[in-house]
């Protein structure tokens, strides 16, 4: 994932800038968009309006750990899948599949496209497949030592794009291959893909895919 100056500024305000510097991989002014043949198209903006460069590639697991570790012990509780919600004039209550329940003044639903709580505040709708699939993966930098760790790079083709940027202080290179497909795929960040050759026609790309969906 990518952190830009606005988000880093908020992390800075809560004392997490050192953790961002430690676990992130800052990308600089050599970040570029390219044509499929390698011809440069345009630079990527990596600074805010004042010229401050706080743009980082960040491994999602590192960001989650960084945020969780900054909270008091016991604040984050895993293994709880929300199953129902109710509220009255005094409190909001949520129940979980493991039999636990919780009561609070405010409940914030941040559980993604398959949210259990979204239907309580907005009419149900089905995702609409957008006709493209993203194959994602990580490569240890030591396996491609020539690859730069100070830039975000994206190659744009006819309906097919390829993106790379460093994460985990440059120890890993994140890549994403975007390809069109007529076959509807399961929307997922973790569904297994075929690393030898995908049905979309790209060989050797990644071990996971996610469909590009939008809400109807």
């Amino acid at each position: 994932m990518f952190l830009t100056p606005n988000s880093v500024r908020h992390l800075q305000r809560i004392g997490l800038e050192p953790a961002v510097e430690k676990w992130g991989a800052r990308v600089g002014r050599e970040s570029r968009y390219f044509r499929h043949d390698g011809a440069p198209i345009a630079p990527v903006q990596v600074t805010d309006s004042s010229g401050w460069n706080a743009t980082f590639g960040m491994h999602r697991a590192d960001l989650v750990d960084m945020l969780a570790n900054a909270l008091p012990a016991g604040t984050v509780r895993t293994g709880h899948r929300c199953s129902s919600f109710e509220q009255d004039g005094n409190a909001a209550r949520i129940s979980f599949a493991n039999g636990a329940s919780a009561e609070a003044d405010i409940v914030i639903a941040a559980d993604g496209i398959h949210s259990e709580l979204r239907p309580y505040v907005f009419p149900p709708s089905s995702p609409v497949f957008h006709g493209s699939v993203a194959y994602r993966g990580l490569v240890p930098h030591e396996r491609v030592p020539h690859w730069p760790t100070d830039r975000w790079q994206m190659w744009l083709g006819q309906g097919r794009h390829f993106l790379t940027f460093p994460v985990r202080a440059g120890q890993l290179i994140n890549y994403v291959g975007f390809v069109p497909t007529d076959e509807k795929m399961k929307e997922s960040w973790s569904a297994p893909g075929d690393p030898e050759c995908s049905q979309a026609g790209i060989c050797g790309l990644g071990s996971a895919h996610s469909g590009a969906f939008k809400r109807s």
Side-chain angles (χ1 to χ4, degrees):
M1 62 185 304
F2 216 47
L3 296 182
T4 55
N6 280 347
S7 57
V8 174
R9 186 173 289 107
H10 286 294
L11 293 170
Q12 183 185 58
R13 287 170 178 163
I14 59 175
L16 291 179
E17 186 177 17
V20 173
E21 295 275 359
K22 177 180 179 180
W23 295 108
R26 192 190 303 269
V27 300
R29 297 183 183 276
E30 295 300 316
S31 300
R32 293 283 187 279
Y33 291 97
F34 299 93
R35 281 173 31 122
H36 63 89
D37 59 4
I41 297 175
V44 175
Q45 184 174 348
V46 296
T47 67
D48 65 8
S49 58
S50 71
W52 180 47
N53 181 0
T55 301
F56 294 84
M58 179 72 72
H59 194 298
R60 187 175 298 270
D62 294 338
L63 178 63
V64 171
D65 284 346
M66 185 179 76
L67 295 171
N69 291 337
L71 296 170
T75 301
V76 177
R77 302 179 187 179
T78 59
H80 287 61
R81 182 177 181 84
C82 179
S83 57
S84 66
F85 167 83
E86 61 181 6
Q87 66 178 4
D88 56 28
N90 298 315
R93 300 175 187 85
I94 49 177
S95 298
F96 301 96
N98 61 5
S101 63
E103 184 174 298
D105 295 328
I106 297 174
V107 172
I108 299 174
D111 49 347
I113 194 172
H114 302 297
S115 173
E116 295 287 343
L117 292 176
R118 187 177 185 271
Y120 289 97
V121 295
F122 196 82
S125 63
S126 299
V128 178
F129 184 56
H130 205 252
S132 64
V133 173
Y135 286 82
R136 309 170 185 273
L138 294 164
V139 178
H141 185 249
E142 62 188 23
R143 297 186 62 179
V144 284
H146 62 284
W147 201 266
T149 59
D150 63 348
R151 64 198 67 174
W152 182 102
Q153 300 180 98
M154 188 170 193
W155 289 263
L156 304 174
Q158 185 65 39
R160 291 172 168 81
H161 317 304
F162 193 75
L163 166 66
T164 72
F165 58 86
V167 298
R168 193 165 286 172
Q171 297 175 33
L172 299 171
I173 304 299
N174 179 75
Y175 67 84
V176 190
F178 302 90
V179 296
T181 180
D182 294 328
E183 181 181 0
K184 185 175 180 179
M185 308 292 284
K186 177 184 178 182
E187 194 285 323
S188 174
W189 283 85
S190 58
D194 186 346
E196 296 300 327
C197 192
S198 75
Q199 293 181 359
I202 286 190
C203 294
L205 273 186
S207 58
H209 70 262
S210 61
F213 285 75
K214 63 179 181 179
R215 282 286 179 182
S216 60

